[in-house]
Amino acid sequence: MLLAAAWWASTRYGWLSQDLVPAPATIWQTLLEMLHSGELAEALRLSLHRVAAGFAIGLVTGVGLALLSGLLRVGEDIVDAPMQMLRTLPWAGLVPLLIIWLGIDEAPKITLVAYAVVFPLYINTFAGIRNVDRTLVEVAHTLRLGRAGLIFQVVLPGALPGLLVGLRYALGSAWLALVFAETVNAQGGLGYLITHAREVYRVDIIVLCLGIYAVLGLAADGIVRLPERVLLQWRQNFAGR
């Protein structure tokens, strides 16, 4: 609220030029116009489709590789080193290669989102598995739990907090990757609106789309927090004072 009030006051009293930062009323009017024309709804539909598809692929890949690497020593030997190398590759450097390999349609955009999602999930899930208390593993052996029982009753519940942290990071990374993907050879989506608005110097559309990205990211983080409260009720942590 304080930020919104400062924004309104700065544009209202001329402390900020509206050519650089449009007033809240201007952004609101632009939002209504784009909703009425259907342009914003179509852009949102495309962006959400790309994020959902890329996130699903990245989720399955990242968690699957983390399970393979975290549960098996041979899996770690095969998987971990390549993953550590691949995660350092810059997104911008991958885009030309993805376009050459996959064309200029939806595939490279979805692939870039999936690429951004894989690594937070892999690293946090792998760390969660390997940070399970050894005492719990020894207790499981004492109780003569089989390998499946050890994995499903001890290791995976112990790794769940790390997986959920990775999920939150992955959702943020998905939106960041989408912003970049949609500004390169896109014919629709929020990123395309930003690129087109830049060409015609519509700062109001740019600010509006960035605000929508921020709201979507916050909403996605809130959605992850809901199952986190339910699934981690057994863990008594400091919740602040």
Side-chain angles (χ1 to χ4, degrees):
M1 293 298 294
L2 288 175
L3 182 60
W7 177 19
W8 175 84
S10 297
T11 53
R12 173 68 176 78
Y13 296 106
W15 301 335
L16 284 176
S17 170
Q18 293 202 36
D19 292 333
L20 299 177
V21 182
T26 303
I27 302 298
W28 177 252
Q29 185 62 36
T30 301
L31 172 63
L32 294 179
E33 291 174 359
M34 295 182 72
L35 286 174
H36 180 71
S37 68
E39 185 180 14
L40 185 59
E42 178 63 17
L44 272 172
R45 185 190 68 80
L46 280 172
S47 292
L48 289 172
H49 167 73
R50 289 163 181 159
V51 164
F55 185 82
I57 295 170
L59 175 65
V60 172
T61 305
V63 174
L65 290 173
L67 291 174
L68 177 63
S69 183
L71 297 174
L72 301 172
R73 293 280 182 87
V74 65
E76 181 182 6
D77 293 339
I78 295 171
V79 172
D80 193 61
M83 290 294 286
Q84 298 302 331
M85 290 190 294
L86 288 172
R87 75 183 180 90
T88 63
L89 296 178
W91 298 346
L94 288 175
V95 170
L97 196 58
L98 291 176
I99 291 174
I100 292 171
W101 286 350
L102 304 174
I104 60 173
D105 292 328
E106 294 299 296
K109 301 171 183 61
I110 292 173
T111 302
L112 192 65
V113 173
Y115 181 86
V117 166
V118 163
F119 299 104
L121 284 167
Y122 171 80
I123 291 170
N124 284 280
T125 305
F126 175 80
I129 292 172
R130 290 302 176 90
N131 286 332
V132 170
D133 192 340
R134 180 176 288 276
T135 303
L136 296 177
V137 177
E138 292 173 354
V139 169
H141 287 313
T142 301
L143 295 175
R144 297 185 177 180
L145 286 179
R147 184 169 182 82
L150 173 65
I151 291 172
F152 288 102
Q153 296 182 44
V154 177
V155 176
L156 294 185
L160 188 59
L163 189 153
L164 291 173
V165 170
L167 196 61
R168 292 177 63 188
Y169 275 108
L171 282 167
S173 297
W175 286 110
L176 289 174
L178 182 69
V179 173
F180 187 80
E182 288 187 335
T183 57
V184 180
N185 290 317
Q187 296 301 316
L190 294 174
Y192 170 76
L193 292 181
I194 290 175
T195 302
H196 180 69
R198 181 193 64 197
E199 294 173 353
V200 297
Y201 204 73
R202 288 291 304 274
V203 182
D204 55 335
I205 295 178
I206 295 174
V207 173
L208 173 62
C209 291
L210 290 176
I212 292 172
Y213 273 127
V215 170
L216 289 172
L218 182 62
D221 187 73
I223 290 171
V224 175
R225 284 177 176 267
L226 291 177
E228 191 176 58
R229 294 192 187 100
V230 175
L231 295 173
L232 300 181
Q233 286 182 346
W234 54 270
R235 192 178 65 164
Q236 300 298 317
N237 283 346
F238 178 66
R241 288 184 179 273

